[in-house]
PDB file of all heavy atoms in Angstrom:
ATOM      1  N   ILE A 153      38.097 -62.589  77.596  1.00 95.00           N
ATOM      2  CA  ILE A 153      36.837 -62.071  77.984  1.00 95.00           C
ATOM      3  C   ILE A 153      36.003 -63.187  78.456  1.00 95.00           C
ATOM      4  O   ILE A 153      35.716 -64.164  77.706  1.00 95.00           O
ATOM      5  CB  ILE A 153      36.150 -61.268  76.843  1.00 95.00           C
ATOM      6  CG1 ILE A 153      36.868 -59.988  76.586  1.00 95.00           C
ATOM      7  CG2 ILE A 153      34.688 -61.009  77.176  1.00 95.00           C
ATOM      8  CD1 ILE A 153      36.279 -59.093  75.542  1.00 95.00           C
ATOM      9  N   ASP A 154      35.527 -63.147  79.768  1.00 97.00           N
ATOM     10  CA  ASP A 154      34.970 -64.225  80.382  1.00 97.00           C
ATOM     11  C   ASP A 154      33.580 -64.657  79.764  1.00 97.00           C
ATOM     12  O   ASP A 154      32.645 -63.874  79.736  1.00 97.00           O
ATOM     13  CB  ASP A 154      34.738 -63.819  81.869  1.00 97.00           C
ATOM     14  CG  ASP A 154      34.209 -64.884  82.742  1.00 97.00           C
ATOM     15  OD1 ASP A 154      33.913 -65.921  82.238  1.00 97.00           O
ATOM     16  OD2 ASP A 154      34.039 -64.656  84.034  1.00 97.00           O
ATOM     17  N   LYS A 155      33.526 -65.781  79.386  1.00 98.00           N
ATOM     18  CA  LYS A 155      32.358 -66.397  78.743  1.00 98.00           C
ATOM     19  C   LYS A 155      31.877 -67.667  79.495  1.00 98.00           C
ATOM     20  O   LYS A 155      31.055 -68.483  78.974  1.00 98.00           O
ATOM     21  CB  LYS A 155      32.514 -66.788  77.238  1.00 98.00           C
ATOM     22  CG  LYS A 155      32.805 -65.564  76.330  1.00 98.00           C
ATOM     23  CD  LYS A 155      31.651 -64.634  76.371  1.00 98.00           C
ATOM     24  CE  LYS A 155      31.939 -63.344  75.600  1.00 98.00           C
ATOM     25  NZ  LYS A 155      30.822 -62.409  75.496  1.00 98.00           N
ATOM     26  N   THR A 156      32.343 -67.795  80.786  1.00 98.00           N
ATOM     27  CA  THR A 156      31.884 -69.006  81.518  1.00 98.00           C
ATOM     28  C   THR A 156      30.478 -69.057  81.985  1.00 98.00           C
ATOM     29  O   THR A 156      30.077 -70.001  82.450  1.00 98.00           O
ATOM     30  CB  THR A 156      32.936 -69.175  82.724  1.00 98.00           C
ATOM     31  OG1 THR A 156      32.804 -68.008  83.569  1.00 98.00           O
ATOM     32  CG2 THR A 156      34.343 -69.344  82.338  1.00 98.00           C
ATOM     33  N   ASP A 157      29.839 -67.881  81.768  1.00 97.00           N
ATOM     34  CA  ASP A 157      28.446 -67.911  82.084  1.00 97.00           C
ATOM     35  C   ASP A 157      27.707 -68.855  81.202  1.00 97.00           C
ATOM     36  O   ASP A 157      26.572 -69.413  81.563  1.00 97.00           O
ATOM     37  CB  ASP A 157      27.863 -66.503  81.941  1.00 97.00           C
ATOM     38  CG  ASP A 157      26.461 -66.390  82.515  1.00 97.00           C
ATOM     39  OD1 ASP A 157      26.264 -66.898  83.629  1.00 97.00           O
ATOM     40  OD2 ASP A 157      25.587 -65.713  81.933  1.00 97.00           O
ATOM     41  N   LEU A 158      28.205 -69.255  80.019  1.00 98.00           N
ATOM     42  CA  LEU A 158      27.686 -70.188  79.130  1.00 98.00           C
ATOM     43  C   LEU A 158      27.526 -71.502  79.918  1.00 98.00           C
ATOM     44  O   LEU A 158      26.497 -72.215  79.690  1.00 98.00           O
ATOM     45  CB  LEU A 158      28.584 -70.443  77.941  1.00 98.00           C
ATOM     46  CG  LEU A 158      28.342 -71.563  77.027  1.00 98.00           C
ATOM     47  CD1 LEU A 158      26.884 -71.442  76.319  1.00 98.00           C
ATOM     48  CD2 LEU A 158      29.387 -71.756  75.958  1.00 98.00           C
ATOM     49  N   ILE A 159      28.461 -71.920  80.723  1.00 98.00           N
ATOM     50  CA  ILE A 159      28.374 -73.123  81.540  1.00 98.00           C
ATOM     51  C   ILE A 159      27.110 -73.105  82.331  1.00 98.00           C
ATOM     52  O   ILE A 159      26.382 -74.171  82.324  1.00 98.00           O
ATOM     53  CB  ILE A 159      29.648 -73.298  82.419  1.00 98.00           C
ATOM     54  CG1 ILE A 159      30.926 -73.408  81.567  1.00 98.00           C
ATOM     55  CG2 ILE A 159      29.477 -74.513  83.313  1.00 98.00           C
ATOM     56  CD1 ILE A 159      32.098 -73.241  82.349  1.00 98.00           C
ATOM     57  N   CYS A 160      26.911 -72.123  83.086  1.00 98.00           N
ATOM     58  CA  CYS A 160      25.707 -72.079  83.959  1.00 98.00           C
ATOM     59  C   CYS A 160      24.431 -72.026  83.190  1.00 98.00           C
ATOM     60  O   CYS A 160      23.529 -72.772  83.513  1.00 98.00           O
ATOM     61  CB  CYS A 160      25.833 -70.791  84.831  1.00 98.00           C
ATOM     62  SG  CYS A 160      27.438 -70.531  85.720  1.00 98.00           S
ATOM     63  N   LYS A 161      24.335 -71.242  82.190  1.00 98.00           N
ATOM     64  CA  LYS A 161      23.122 -71.115  81.408  1.00 98.00           C
ATOM     65  C   LYS A 161      22.791 -72.436  80.726  1.00 98.00           C
ATOM     66  O   LYS A 161      21.609 -72.839  80.737  1.00 98.00           O
ATOM     67  CB  LYS A 161      23.255 -69.955  80.304  1.00 98.00           C
ATOM     68  CG  LYS A 161      23.340 -68.605  80.902  1.00 98.00           C
ATOM     69  CD  LYS A 161      23.409 -67.594  79.785  1.00 98.00           C
ATOM     70  CE  LYS A 161      23.378 -66.129  80.362  1.00 98.00           C
ATOM     71  NZ  LYS A 161      23.516 -65.140  79.393  1.00 98.00           N
ATOM     72  N   TRP A 162      23.747 -73.100  80.202  1.00 98.00           N
ATOM     73  CA  TRP A 162      23.543 -74.409  79.463  1.00 98.00           C
ATOM     74  C   TRP A 162      23.075 -75.477  80.604  1.00 98.00           C
ATOM     75  O   TRP A 162      22.065 -76.131  80.301  1.00 98.00           O
ATOM     76  CB  TRP A 162      24.773 -74.914  78.855  1.00 98.00           C
ATOM     77  CG  TRP A 162      24.584 -76.143  78.089  1.00 98.00           C
ATOM     78  CD1 TRP A 162      23.589 -76.561  77.220  1.00 98.00           C
ATOM     79  CD2 TRP A 162      25.474 -77.302  78.224  1.00 98.00           C
ATOM     80  NE1 TRP A 162      23.773 -77.794  76.802  1.00 98.00           N
ATOM     81  CE2 TRP A 162      24.947 -78.295  77.324  1.00 98.00           C
ATOM     82  CE3 TRP A 162      26.712 -77.654  78.860  1.00 98.00           C
ATOM     83  CZ2 TRP A 162      25.579 -79.491  77.133  1.00 98.00           C
ATOM     84  CZ3 TRP A 162      27.292 -78.864  78.698  1.00 98.00           C
ATOM     85  CH2 TRP A 162      26.666 -79.827  77.835  1.00 98.00           C
ATOM     86  N   TRP A 163      23.750 -75.448  81.741  1.00 98.00           N
ATOM     87  CA  TRP A 163      23.328 -76.507  82.734  1.00 98.00           C
ATOM     88  C   TRP A 163      21.995 -76.238  83.278  1.00 98.00           C
ATOM     89  O   TRP A 163      21.296 -77.135  83.621  1.00 98.00           O
ATOM     90  CB  TRP A 163      24.422 -76.512  83.758  1.00 98.00           C
ATOM     91  CG  TRP A 163      24.427 -77.905  84.487  1.00 98.00           C
ATOM     92  CD1 TRP A 163      23.944 -78.205  85.705  1.00 98.00           C
ATOM     93  CD2 TRP A 163      24.892 -79.165  83.878  1.00 98.00           C
ATOM     94  NE1 TRP A 163      24.120 -79.585  85.956  1.00 98.00           N
ATOM     95  CE2 TRP A 163      24.637 -80.116  84.800  1.00 98.00           C
ATOM     96  CE3 TRP A 163      25.518 -79.489  82.718  1.00 98.00           C
ATOM     97  CZ2 TRP A 163      25.029 -81.486  84.563  1.00 98.00           C
ATOM     98  CZ3 TRP A 163      25.867 -80.766  82.415  1.00 98.00           C
ATOM     99  CH2 TRP A 163      25.563 -81.761  83.378  1.00 98.00           C
ATOM    100  N   GLU A 164      21.677 -74.967  83.503  1.00 97.00           N
ATOM    101  CA  GLU A 164      20.364 -74.588  84.153  1.00 97.00           C
ATOM    102  C   GLU A 164      19.231 -74.823  83.113  1.00 97.00           C
ATOM    103  O   GLU A 164      18.094 -75.131  83.578  1.00 97.00           O
ATOM    104  CB  GLU A 164      20.325 -73.207  84.557  1.00 97.00           C
ATOM    105  CG  GLU A 164      21.405 -72.870  85.711  1.00 97.00           C
ATOM    106  CD  GLU A 164      21.054 -73.702  86.956  1.00 97.00           C
ATOM    107  OE1 GLU A 164      19.796 -73.964  87.239  1.00 97.00           O
ATOM    108  OE2 GLU A 164      22.044 -74.029  87.626  1.00 97.00           O
TER     109      GLU A 164
END
Side-chain angles (χ1 to χ4, degrees):
I153 288 183
D154 188 354
K155 295 297 174 181
T156 58
D157 193 43
L158 170 64
I159 297 168
C160 308
K161 289 181 177 179
W162 181 48
W163 204 254
E164 295 299 328

